[in-house]
Amino acid sequence: MPAITLHKIARLEAQQKISAQQIEKIAKELLAENADIHALDENSETPFNIAAPASPIIGRLMTNFWISGKSSKALNEKSGSHNSTLAQYIAKWSNAEEIAAQLDYLLSKNINIAAQNSSGWTPLHAACAMVLRAHAVSAFASRYTPRQLNLRTSESYQTRYAESPEIIFYDKNLTAAEITKSRLTQAKTLPEKLKTELENYLRILEPVFKFT
């Protein structure tokens, strides 16, 4: 029988083939045994890469493991096929009750909260593309400098989200706010409640960001 790995649990969560209780139990056991959250599989993907589309439970657990200092990588080291840093995963997975304290603690340790991945996406870009991340948009945007708020993507990118079937195309040279606008424009079947959520990101950003 194949060994249970973080990669496998992330995949099962994304496929909704495992309960939340099982995910948490097994992932915590693996992390207690110092499973490598940056390990590459046969496709050169880490568990984080597999978790990225739709595995928030294991995504958050691995993020908190990295924050704890037990990871094999330092705070600003890059990981996975997209060369993402810890800050990217905080933007994607940390919850509303913990994110502000996490960022302030990590800023005292000199984390770069605006580090760009291989496509030029900052953590704020990542949060702005996802639904139900208003707390992350607010937490990062309020801590960004004007220069960081104006950082732009360096490559085009397309993906599909679980909430609606359309392929979303993101052009290069986009700010974080323009990422949200792009998804809103293209996600024709996104439920109205989630469209309202994305529109709220723009309201959050408006006081601190001058739109182009």
Side-chain angles (χ1 to χ4, degrees):
M1 181 178 179
I4 296 294
T5 64
L6 294 172
H7 291 86
K8 185 174 180 62
I9 297 303
R11 191 170 285 110
L12 289 172
E13 181 180 355
Q15 296 168 345
Q16 299 183 345
K17 293 182 177 179
I18 188 171
S19 71
Q21 292 81 5
Q22 287 176 304
I23 297 164
E24 189 153 346
K25 178 180 182 295
I26 297 170
K28 283 183 175 178
E29 289 173 352
L30 291 170
L31 292 171
E33 296 171 359
N34 291 315
D36 187 358
I37 60 176
H38 308 291
L40 300 178
D41 66 8
E42 64 277 8
N43 298 314
S44 297
E45 292 189 321
T46 68
F48 277 118
N49 294 142
I50 295 170
S55 303
I57 299 173
I58 192 169
R60 177 176 171 271
L61 290 171
M62 293 189 298
T63 298
N64 286 343
F65 185 80
W66 196 345
I67 292 171
S68 75
K70 297 175 183 176
S71 161
S72 60
K73 290 186 179 290
L75 299 181
N76 291 313
E77 278 192 82
K78 297 192 172 184
S79 175
S81 57
H82 299 295
N83 286 317
S84 296
T85 65
L86 171 59
Q88 289 270 351
Y89 298 118
I90 292 172
K92 292 178 180 180
W93 304 129
S94 289
N95 65 36
E97 290 73 31
E98 64 195 356
I99 193 166
Q102 286 176 340
L103 290 180
D104 289 341
Y105 166 74
L106 293 168
L107 281 166
S108 75
K109 303 292 184 182
N110 297 315
I111 193 172
N112 179 2
I113 62 168
Q116 292 174 279
N117 68 11
S118 56
S119 297
W121 286 51
T122 66
L124 183 59
H125 282 85
C128 281
M130 298 174 71
V131 297
L132 305 177
R133 300 303 294 166
H135 61 281
V137 172
S138 178
F140 277 89
S142 64
R143 290 165 174 80
Y144 272 23
T145 66
R147 184 193 68 81
Q148 290 170 332
L149 286 167
N150 279 284
L151 289 172
R152 294 177 177 272
T153 59
S154 56
E155 297 177 350
S156 59
Y157 173 69
Q158 67 180 35
T159 190
R160 180 182 279 117
Y161 297 94
E163 302 87 16
S164 56
E166 302 93 349
I167 293 176
I168 306 297
F169 175 79
Y170 297 108
D171 206 349
K172 64 181 179 180
N173 203 37
L174 298 182
T175 63
E178 289 165 340
I179 289 290
T180 296
K181 290 180 178 180
S182 290
R183 187 169 182 194
L184 270 170
T185 300
Q186 297 175 70
K188 302 299 184 183
T189 64
L190 189 69
E192 287 301 318
K193 182 178 180 180
L194 297 181
K195 287 183 180 178
T196 300
E197 172 81 10
L198 292 176
E199 289 166 353
N200 186 45
Y201 296 177
L202 300 179
R203 287 190 288 272
I204 292 169
L205 291 168
E206 192 169 10
V208 294
F209 190 84
K210 183 178 180 180
F211 294 109
T212 57

